[in-house]
Amino acid sequence: MAATGPKWSLYPILGIIAFFEFLFGGTHIFYCSPLFFLYFPFINAVFGLVASFHAIFLRYPNRCDFYLQLTCSVLGTIFFFFSLMESYCIDEFKNSDQEIKDGICHGLKYRAIGMMNSCNSILGNLQTSILSKLGYDPTTSSENIRFFTSISLTILSGLHLLICVLLTVYSGIETKIRLYSYHYQVVISILIILASFVHLRYCCTFFFLYLPLAIGLFSLLQGIVTWRTKCHGSTTRGINIIGAGFSVLLNAITSFGIFCWLNRNTIPHMLTRHCHWFPEREEYCLRVVHFTNPYIDWLPQETDREIAAVQITIQILLFILTCFQFAFSMKSAFSTKSQYLYY
């Protein structure tokens, strides 16, 4: 990919977007937006600018360029998620007190309102002075600026993520980065293991069986063995077939967990009564969550609301991951030539 053409033009566009992210990041901090203390706009912008200028001065991309774009994609995904959540919940922060309110944004408000109030106590007078001298009402203008900043950063972070993903793919193709099925298996298994801890912590359906953790560990072993043998040998094929079966099992359990979550407020019937095996253990698990920080200071209904939100998120995430794990396990099990594993 030479330094010409529409593909290369994405690099200066990335630099422009990163520059505006940096500018809005300053506004994001100065006006004490809810998640200002994470400094994500600055971090995302710096990596975007470095990746952009590094590529602009290259005639052809190299592996360093690929790794920079990959890092930008990962950071961009995290920043886009938090920015989207902040934009969705920005109205919850109009009242600066910490009173309990109904709404899915209560958890974010509880965790961020203290830092936001501390920031306003330091910069509030300066904000008021500047807005008053410009002829604006300090109270309403500050809220409007926060809203506009959050929305702008969400749009910019989405564009940033899209461009970084495209450039990562282009750089990988041009530099002949070889990613085989077992590479994806290792990454997916690590994500399943991480998700399994949340699955256990928030008492998801059949949490006491430890299936996500066990299957995640087996998938990691499966990926390592497949990586070492390059998909050759009957043992490797057998492990991948077993891994595919475990993926189907976990996929079925998470699908049933989603069904249970959707029917959690209905009267138990012939099928949904299986959602609550060992009810005493489930009640104890939920009681433990209620008496841990920060939930010990919340009303029970707010804690239940956040638990439900985390449960459905983890169930959907595990469902998606197991679908990919099954596909890559089957690919590794029945591929006979290395070029068939190239993506």
Side-chain angles (χ1 to χ4, degrees), residues 116-272:
M116 191 175 176
N117 287 339
S118 298
C119 176
N120 282 321
S121 65
I122 297 173
L123 298 176
N125 292 333
L126 183 58
Q127 296 171 9
T128 302
S129 176
I130 293 175
L131 291 174
S132 298
K133 290 180 179 179
L134 293 175
Y136 296 103
D137 178 55
T139 303
T140 58
S141 296
S142 296
E143 294 175 356
N144 292 335
I145 290 173
R146 292 191 191 102
F147 178 79
F148 178 75
T149 301
S150 295
I151 295 296
S152 299
L153 284 174
T154 300
I155 296 173
L156 289 172
S157 62
L159 294 173
H160 184 118
L161 174 60
L162 177 61
I163 292 175
C164 284
V165 170
L166 291 175
L167 290 176
T168 301
V169 174
Y170 294 153
S171 299
I173 293 174
E174 291 295 324
T175 55
K176 303 296 188 294
I177 299 293
R178 295 184 177 182
L179 296 177
Y180 299 99
S181 58
Y182 42 78
H183 294 129
Y184 296 103
Q185 285 176 281
V186 171
V187 173
I188 291 173
S189 63
I190 293 174
L191 293 177
I192 291 176
I193 291 172
L194 294 176
S196 69
F197 293 113
V198 183
H199 185 275
L200 179 64
R201 172 71 170 79
Y202 284 89
C203 318
C204 296
T205 306
F206 303 145
F207 70 95
F208 47 83
L209 297 178
Y210 296 91
L211 281 176
L213 179 59
I215 293 176
L217 291 173
F218 181 85
S219 299
L220 181 60
L221 174 64
Q222 170 191 345
I224 293 173
V225 171
T226 307
W227 192 340
R228 185 168 182 81
T229 61
K230 307 300 181 184
C231 300
H232 294 296
S234 57
T235 302
T236 301
R237 297 181 189 280
I239 289 177
N240 278 286
I241 291 174
I242 295 173
F246 281 151
S247 299
V248 173
L249 174 62
L250 185 56
N251 186 273
I253 290 176
T254 53
S255 299
F256 187 70
I258 294 173
F259 170 78
C260 291
W261 187 90
L262 294 173
N263 293 275
R264 66 190 186 281
N265 295 323
T266 60
I267 299 175
H269 52 79
M270 183 175 62
L271 188 59
T272 57

Side-chain angles (χ1 to χ4, degrees), residues 54-65:
H54 178 270
I56 286 174
F57 293 105
L58 289 177
R59 178 66 180 173
Y60 293 95
N62 55 22
R63 285 181 178 265
C64 181
D65 184 46

